Amino acid sequence: MDDNRLFNNWKRALLISLHLPHRANTEVLSSLEELSSLAYTLGGEVAGQIIQARAQIHPAYFFGKGKLNEIKNFIQNESVDAVLVDNPLSPKQTQNLEEFLECEILDRTQVILKIFAKNARTSEAKLQIGLAQSEYLLPRLVGLWKHLDRERGGIGASRGTGEKQIEKDRQFLRDRITRLKGQLKRVEKERNTQKQRRSNCLQVSLIGYTNAGKSTIMNLLTNSSLLVEDRLFATLDSTTRLLDKDSRPKVLLSDTVGFISQLPHELVAAFRSTLVTVKDADLLLQIIDASDDIDEHLKTTSEVLSDLDASCIPIIKVFNKIDQVSATRLMMMEKLFPDAVFISVIKGENNGLEKTSTYVENLRNKILSFFDQRMKSMTIRLDYQHSQQLANIYEWSRVDNIDYQEEGILLTLTAVPNNLELLRHRLGANFTELN
Ligand SMILES: Nc1nc2c(ncn2[C@@H]2O[C@H](COP(=O)(O)OP(=O)(O)OP(=O)(O)O)[C@@H](O)[C@H]2O)c(=O)[nH]1
Ligand SMILES: [Mg+2]
């Protein structure tokens, strides 16, 4: 079965949203604005937006019947070929809406899945999105086939063609899910081996809303050239680089896939192996676009972190793109978040190259001093016959002092407690701890 056949292409979309009483007006509007960015990221055109305020959802059609007639007129008058719904729909609701509006219906989840499929480059990202798409499609096959039957010339003409196919497709998807899960398990195993090799390093993970500037900051901190783009979900993989080649302990920085509000749970589950860099981090750098909807972005990030079981990891909040905000807004944010860092990493009118590099260096120092504050020191004596262990010592800790004395080599070492413990284990009985 070909995914493209199931994820039909469309050119001109109408965006619709149901405003339920528990959601604030601004939240509904900014979410719809974001759906519009998602549509553009996919290369589609937006013909218009319609919002319906309602006390509760209509169980069968999600929207009220009156509004649906208005929507149907709009579709016909404006040559719309897809309706993007900014709410999660059940398979049955999607099917009913397709039948009533005679138009392709995509909910927010499906739009996001399509963007991921379009942007996936590495084999791991392709496996993960394949899994998320298959899991999303499985309960929706009935609706899809009804849609295709209709295209072939009316329900009566081809009744049953789809029904027979549904069982075949369902089996195909089940087999595919099992195969993709198996392949992802192998990738995860490989990742675990790499992790063991890096166990003497501290891990810092860049996290946050999509398009906040994570990859731009990663590039500047590690002198890399990862893809940076003004569109949503430019990054779908994790990339890890050394932050500073001379620092001890070594600090690794990872860039990874961004978050978005109402991130489909199929995606969080499928991207678990990519997001493992977040779960395993010693410190998270949360990048927030200072010019965007801060409250919504903070809320989304904390929800995803709790979904990943990563809420306990210490976080440094980094407000980026301060070149885009007024001095008053900046002052307000500084008051609200006294421990956060405020930066701008793009050279612009109010932001020379010098200022940008000062921001980047301050951020680097903030990361290093976070770990410095947690480091402990110990003094040891190493017998000369075990001096080959010096390589390990330099690898695992910062050597503050070394003195070649008659009885042995006297060393003062500093490292995070975990690394000191691992070093003690490695040196075994070959050293004497003096304090
Ligand atoms: N004005 C301004 N733009 C910035 C700044 N930092 C990054 N950008 C722009 O923001 C856009 C997104 O940057 P990325 O680094 O790709 O963002 P990301 O968080 O990695 O995004 P995804 O990988 O798509 O989740 C790009 O067009 C950057 O040039 C900044 O400080 N100021
Ligand atoms: Mg990125």
Side-chain angles (χ1 to χ4, degrees):
M1 189 167 59
D2 167 16
D3 288 337
N4 288 330
R5 194 201 68 204
L6 292 172
F7 282 89
N8 284 347
N9 284 322
W10 49 270
K11 290 198 175 61
R12 214 168 133 72
L14 167 66
L15 313 188
I16 61 175
S17 171
L18 190 68
H19 185 175
L20 294 165
H22 69 272
R23 292 183 85 194
N25 201 23
T26 47
E27 191 190 324
V28 174
L29 289 175
S30 75
S31 178
L32 206 53
E33 194 51 42
E34 191 170 80
L35 185 64
S36 175
S37 301
L38 290 166
Y40 283 118
T41 298
L42 265 182
E45 196 184 311
V46 174
Q49 306 183 346
I50 296 179
I51 300 175
Q52 180 178 32
R54 220 168 181 265
Q56 59 198 36
I57 60 170
H58 186 292
Y61 289 90
F62 202 76
F63 294 85
K65 266 293 174 71
K67 203 65 174 179
L68 283 180
N69 283 319
E70 184 193 321
I71 292 170
K72 195 164 182 169
N73 282 338
F74 189 101
I75 292 170
Q76 281 157 3
N77 296 337
E78 297 285 331
S79 340
V80 163
D81 56 358
V83 173
L84 311 191
V85 185
D86 197 27
N87 308 81
L89 298 176
S90 74
K92 192 71 195 155
Q93 286 158 347
T94 310
Q95 191 187 333
N96 290 343
L97 283 175
E98 286 209 334
E99 274 173 16
F100 183 79
L101 297 173
E102 295 173 17
C103 184
E104 189 179 356
I105 307 289
L106 293 100
D107 67 2
R108 195 181 165 86
T109 302
Q110 204 170 340
V111 175
I112 295 172
L113 287 175
K114 273 191 158 205
I115 294 178
F116 270 64
K118 193 173 161 206
N119 293 356
R121 297 278 172 275
T122 63
S123 57
E124 184 178 10
K126 284 179 184 160
L127 287 175
Q128 294 180 118
I129 182 63
L131 177 61
Q133 274 184 329
S134 305
E135 291 196 320
Y136 177 84
L137 276 176
L138 196 56
R140 289 173 168 79
L141 283 172
V142 179
L144 282 161
W145 274 106
K146 283 224 169 133
H147 182 68
L148 291 172
D149 274 354
R150 205 173 42 240
E151 271 180 6
R152 274 195 221 105
I155 302 227
S158 55
R159 191 193 297 276
T161 323
E163 279 164 34
K164 277 187 223 136
Q165 194 62 35
I166 292 168
E167 204 30 57
K168 264 172 128 181
D169 282 357
R170 206 174 267 150
Q171 195 49 49
F172 172 88
L173 284 178
R174 282 199 204 100
D175 293 345
R176 189 170 187 234
I177 289 171
T178 312
R179 182 167 45 83
L180 290 172
K181 280 188 173 162
Q183 283 171 297
L184 277 168
K185 268 244 153 65
R186 284 196 285 283
V187 176
E188 225 163 291
K189 246 194 193 147
E190 171 60 20
R191 215 179 261 284
N192 279 340
T193 323
Q194 283 175 9
K195 206 165 78 191
Q196 268 166 16
R197 266 185 249 134
R198 289 171 179 163
S199 57
N200 63 337
C201 300
L202 293 168
Q203 309 263 359
V204 180
S205 219
L206 286 158
I207 56 155
Y209 219 76
T210 178
N211 213 41
K214 299 177 296 298
S215 302
T216 312
I217 292 170
M218 169 86 175
N219 283 342
L220 290 166
L221 280 172
T222 62
N223 209 6
S224 312
S225 49
L226 305 179
L227 175 74
V228 165
E229 268 186 311
D230 193 11
R231 62 180 180 131
L232 310 182
F233 301 114
T235 307
L236 292 186
D237 315 289
S238 283
T239 307
T240 300
R241 299 264 191 282
L242 204 54
L243 174 69
D244 191 320
K245 71 177 175 16
D246 299 323
S247 78
R248 286 293 177 277
K250 287 183 191 164
V251 177
L252 291 171
L253 192 64
S254 297
D255 180 26
T256 192
V257 55
F259 308 151
I260 193 163
S261 71
Q262 303 164 56
L263 190 67
H265 70 267
E266 290 93 344
L267 273 178
V268 180
F271 276 69
R272 220 160 261 279
S273 74
T274 291
L275 289 167
V276 98
T277 54
V278 175
K279 195 173 175 300
D280 289 345
D282 300 287
L283 170 68
L284 300 175
L285 278 195
Q286 181 179 1
I287 313 300
I288 306 142
D289 182 342
S291 66
D292 219 322
D293 183 349
I294 292 175
D295 291 339
E296 182 60 27
H297 293 197
L298 289 173
K299 185 172 138 235
T300 298
T301 303
S302 73
E303 279 167 8
V304 180
L305 288 180
S306 105
D307 209 13
L308 287 172
D309 241 348
S311 304
C312 299
I313 305 171
I315 295 185
I316 297 179
K317 284 191 173 58
V318 180
F319 287 88
N320 187 31
K321 306 196 187 182
I322 56 166
D323 56 301
Q324 301 287 306
V325 304
S326 68
T328 326
R329 185 175 157 98
L330 180 60
M331 222 161 67
M332 228 173 61
M333 287 193 295
E334 284 174 335
K335 279 227 163 71
L336 275 173
F337 302 97
D339 298 326
V341 183
F342 294 84
I343 64 171
S344 163
V345 287
I346 293 280
K347 193 168 81 76
E349 259 173 53
N350 310 321
N351 209 39
L353 195 58
E354 231 167 75
K355 214 165 169 187
T356 305
S357 51
T358 311
Y359 283 135
V360 173
E361 280 328 297
N362 286 348
L363 184 55
R364 183 195 309 280
N365 291 336
K366 183 110 181 169
I367 299 169
L368 293 174
S369 74
F370 170 87
F371 290 120
D372 257 351
Q373 285 163 13
R374 280 154 186 77
M375 300 228 273
K376 295 264 178 288
S377 293
M378 72 172 177
T379 305
I380 63 166
R381 190 183 311 114
L382 187 70
D383 296 342
Y384 281 103
Q385 78 243 44
H386 300 301
S387 56
Q388 80 278 9
Q389 293 287 0
L390 280 175
N392 267 333
I393 292 173
Y394 274 100
E395 186 66 22
W396 286 69
S397 63
R398 191 180 73 207
V399 177
D400 296 326
N401 194 32
I402 179 160
D403 190 7
Y404 292 87
Q405 298 183 336
E406 217 169 287
E407 320 84 84
I409 309 167
L410 196 70
L411 293 139
T412 305
L413 317 173
T414 302
V416 287
N418 198 29
N419 280 9
L420 280 186
E421 207 38 61
L422 288 164
L423 191 57
R424 280 189 188 101
H425 188 71
R426 285 208 157 199
L427 295 178
N430 301 330
F431 79 109
T432 315
E433 198 166 334
L434 301 177
N435 68 355

